[in-house]
């Protein structure tokens, strides 16, 4: 006895003969496919809307706060770049200014893409749990005070170099802490990427800053 391997033939043999019966399988399959595609398109279009971070999100808070934090680092680095008499410090200051200015560009662009303002009336560090103690006189971790910035602007020679390296060391430590928290709290791949980049680059720069600080203080 020969057994057919054709599923269509097997189905015909198993079904009672009905001349008025018409095959519906292919029609329903097409309709299901069309419906599935339509639903898929609808979901695909709606997902970006729902996954954009909101105004009170960790992502938005981090980008706004770190943009402010970076802006001060750029300001201090430009002072050192323009006024330091040490080529190594000039080089480090230039590198910090360029890197952090570029990262500000990324962060501000993402906020615009999400339809969010680059600034907010929310308290600094509100996105980070248990952060109340991190804010001192309204300043985020590691940020220089107005008095310290004034002193840096008026310094020169060894005093300028020492002040810049000391302030930038503290600035990096505060920035690293913020970026590490962002990596832990956010599941956004862009935030994870830029925050981890900040951690890596600033940890590397800390070693160089420490070496330069020892050299300046010994001179």
């Amino acid at each position: 006895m020969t057994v057919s391997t054709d599923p269509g033939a097997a189905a015909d043999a198993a079904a009672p003969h009905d001349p008025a019966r018409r095959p519906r399988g292919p029609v329903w399959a097409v309709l299901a496919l069309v419906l599935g595609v339509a639903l898929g398109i609808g979901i695909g279009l709606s997902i970006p809307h729902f996954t954009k971070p909101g105004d009170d999100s960790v992502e938005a808070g981090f980008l706004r706060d770190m943009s402010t934090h970076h802006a001060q680092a750029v300001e201090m680095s430009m002072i050192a770049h323009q006024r330091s008499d040490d080529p190594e410090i000039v080089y480090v200051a230039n590198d910090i200014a360029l890197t952090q200015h570029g990262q500000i560009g990324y962060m501000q662009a993402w906020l615009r893409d999400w339809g969010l303002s680059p600034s907010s009336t929310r308290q600094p560090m509100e996105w980070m749990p248990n952060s109340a103690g991190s804010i001192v006189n309204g300043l985020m971790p590691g940020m220089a005070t107005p008095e310290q910035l004034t002193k840096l602007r008026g310094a020169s020679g060894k005093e300028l170099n020492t002040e810049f390296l000391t302030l930038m060391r503290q600035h990096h430590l505060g920035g690293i802490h913020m970026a590490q928290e962002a990596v832990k709290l956010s599941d956004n791949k862009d935030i994870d990427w830029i925050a981890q980049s900040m951690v890596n680059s600033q940890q590397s720069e800390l070693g160089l800053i420490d070496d330069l600080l020892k050299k300046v203080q010994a001179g």
Side-chain angles (χ1 to χ4, degrees):
M1 183 172 112
T2 303
V3 179
S4 173
T5 58
D6 180 359
D12 289 342
H17 180 67
D18 182 359
R21 184 176 174 227
R22 295 179 181 176
R24 297 184 179 181
V27 175
W28 286 110
V30 171
L31 289 175
L33 178 61
V34 171
L35 180 60
V37 170
L39 286 172
I41 292 173
I43 292 172
L45 291 174
S46 64
I47 283 176
H49 172 73
F50 290 120
T51 57
K52 285 182 180 179
D55 190 64
D56 60 349
S57 65
V58 167
E59 292 78 12
F62 170 71
L63 294 184
R64 287 165 176 155
D65 284 351
M66 191 54 83
S67 291
T68 300
H69 203 271
H70 271 24
Q72 189 184 76
V74 172
E75 179 185 1
M76 292 193 298
S77 296
M78 291 307 299
I79 293 171
H81 180 265
Q82 294 166 3
R83 303 187 60 186
S84 176
D85 57 0
D86 187 319
E88 289 183 288
I89 292 176
V90 170
Y91 175 83
V92 170
N94 182 67
D95 188 59
I96 292 171
L98 289 176
T99 299
Q100 298 207 15
H101 187 269
Q103 289 172 343
I104 290 173
Y106 275 110
M107 294 188 287
Q108 295 295 297
W110 287 332
L111 287 169
R112 288 195 300 270
D113 288 346
W114 298 341
L116 301 177
S117 170
S119 60
S120 173
T121 57
R122 296 179 181 278
Q123 292 298 313
M125 309 292 289
E126 192 176 289
W127 54 274
M128 187 190 298
N130 305 314
S131 64
S134 300
I135 306 300
V136 180
N137 297 323
L139 296 173
M140 288 177 279
M143 291 188 72
T145 66
E147 293 76 21
Q148 288 173 323
L149 289 176
T150 298
K151 182 179 178 181
L152 179 64
R153 294 188 192 102
S156 61
K158 181 177 179 178
E159 182 186 15
L160 169 68
N161 296 334
T162 302
E163 191 70 14
F164 168 70
L165 293 171
T166 301
L167 292 177
M168 190 56 70
R169 186 180 190 281
Q170 289 302 117
H171 206 274
H172 272 15
L173 289 172
I176 289 170
H177 173 63
M178 291 170 62
Q180 287 174 330
E181 288 298 309
V183 172
K184 287 195 297 185
L185 296 171
S186 175
D187 58 1
N188 180 288
K189 61 182 180 62
D190 290 327
I191 297 298
D192 289 344
W193 167 73
I194 199 166
Q196 190 60 54
S197 296
M198 292 173 187
V199 172
N200 295 343
S201 63
Q202 292 186 33
Q203 283 180 337
S204 177
E205 286 168 349
L206 275 176
L208 183 55
I209 288 172
D210 285 342
D211 290 342
L212 288 173
L213 193 52
K214 290 176 185 176
K215 186 184 297 185
V216 169
Q217 290 172 334

